[in-house]
């Protein structure tokens, strides 16, 4: 961090130290090796340019000294690492990281897995993307999603929220309800 401003080299160093999946750095390099993964990730996932483009003073809004941005999804959702509490948060650029629960790596991606399912992506593709991201419970989560869909549990926002809460708890994906 130079002059209180987080830079890409800082993010790359953290990604390496956290031993995140190799595809994260491939996203940064805009060179995803697996064509099947590239087809989906190249359009959706990127390094957090929205934050990297800010000055050090502007980055303070996002508390980048604590919440280090790792990925940007659809140009609006940030996945960050909380260096104090050693977990992951996600937040929209219009909100603050402090408002997010603290998740495990798998937990911060649960919403993405549900979106892949809702987008009617092929089951094998979802499993492949989950494996690429080193997500541990994707087969079981897919099975649960299929059952919930059959039972009509995902037909409302409330139903989906309840399903998400249940899955997060079932797999111990929430480290803390609110970031402090």
């Amino acid at each position: 961090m130079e002059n209180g401003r987080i830079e890409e080299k800082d993010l790359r160093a953290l990604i390496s130290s956290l031993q995140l999946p190799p595809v994260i750095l491939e996203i940064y390099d805009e060179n995803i090796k697996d064509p099947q993964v590239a087809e989906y990730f190249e359009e959706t996932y990127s390094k957090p340019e929205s934050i990297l483009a800010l000055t050090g003073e502007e980055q303070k809004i996002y508390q980048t000294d604590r919440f280090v941005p790792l990925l940007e999804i659809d140009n609006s959702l940030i996945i960050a690492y909380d260096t104090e509490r050693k977990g992951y948060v996600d937040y929209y650029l219009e909100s603050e990281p402090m408002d997010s629960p603290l998740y495990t790596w798998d937990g911060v991606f649960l919403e993405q897995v549900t979106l892949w399912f809702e987008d009617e992506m092929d089951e094998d593709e979802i499993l492949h993307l989950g494996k690429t991201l080193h997500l541990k419970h994707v087969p079981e989560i897919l099975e649960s999603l299929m059952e919930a869909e059959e039972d009509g549990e995902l037909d409302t926002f409330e139903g989906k929220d309840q399903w998400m809460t249940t899955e997060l708890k079932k797999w111990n994906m929430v480290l803390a309800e609110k970031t402090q």
Side-chain angles (χ1 to χ4, degrees):
M1 267 174 121
E2 292 179 20
N3 302 324
R5 182 173 182 273
I6 199 153
E7 296 180 355
E8 184 175 333
K9 66 181 179 180
D10 304 313
L11 305 183
R12 287 175 175 275
L14 180 61
I15 290 165
S16 293
S17 73
L18 292 172
Q19 299 179 339
L20 295 182
V23 72
I24 304 301
L25 290 177
E26 291 176 10
I27 290 168
Y28 275 55
D29 295 337
E30 297 179 0
N31 186 24
I32 299 173
K33 293 175 177 58
D34 183 324
Q36 185 179 0
V37 173
E39 182 179 329
Y40 186 78
F41 282 8
E42 284 178 350
E43 294 177 20
T44 310
Y45 297 79
S46 65
K47 59 185 158 190
E49 291 289 354
S50 297
I51 294 177
L52 289 171
L54 301 174
T55 66
E57 195 62 34
E58 292 168 327
Q59 285 184 359
K60 285 182 183 178
I61 295 167
Y62 298 107
Q63 303 172 54
T64 55
D65 56 330
R66 176 178 175 182
F67 300 102
V68 182
L70 300 171
L71 281 177
E72 189 167 327
I73 301 173
D74 287 329
N75 300 313
S76 63
L77 181 67
I78 301 293
I79 292 180
Y81 183 73
D82 181 343
T83 59
E84 285 182 23
R85 305 216 24 233
K86 310 295 186 226
Y88 301 89
V89 298
D90 62 354
Y91 62 91
Y92 287 94
L93 290 167
E94 302 81 30
S95 61
E96 293 187 27
M98 294 295 284
D99 295 335
S100 176
L102 188 70
Y103 298 107
T104 63
W105 178 252
D106 287 74
V108 82
F109 276 98
L110 181 60
E111 179 73 25
Q112 293 299 302
V113 174
T114 65
L115 290 174
W116 301 338
F117 179 80
E118 290 169 355
D119 287 345
E120 298 181 6
M121 188 178 286
D122 182 70
E123 183 178 341
D124 289 338
E125 287 179 293
I126 295 171
L127 292 169
H128 186 67
L129 293 177
K131 188 175 183 178
T132 300
L133 285 169
H134 296 180
L135 304 177
K136 300 174 196 141
H137 307 291
V138 174
E140 296 88 348
I141 289 167
L142 267 179
E143 185 177 321
S144 177
L145 274 166
M146 287 183 227
E147 289 173 11
E149 184 178 58
E150 284 177 20
D151 295 342
E153 295 174 42
L154 305 176
D155 292 347
T156 64
F157 292 120
E158 295 82 14
K160 182 180 175 186
D161 288 346
Q162 181 59 45
W163 179 87
M164 292 278 295
T165 300
T166 300
E167 291 299 307
L168 287 165
K169 287 180 182 175
K170 182 192 310 184
W171 303 108
N172 298 313
M173 294 180 183
V174 178
L175 302 173
E177 288 299 322
K178 285 283 183 181
T179 304
Q180 300 174 352

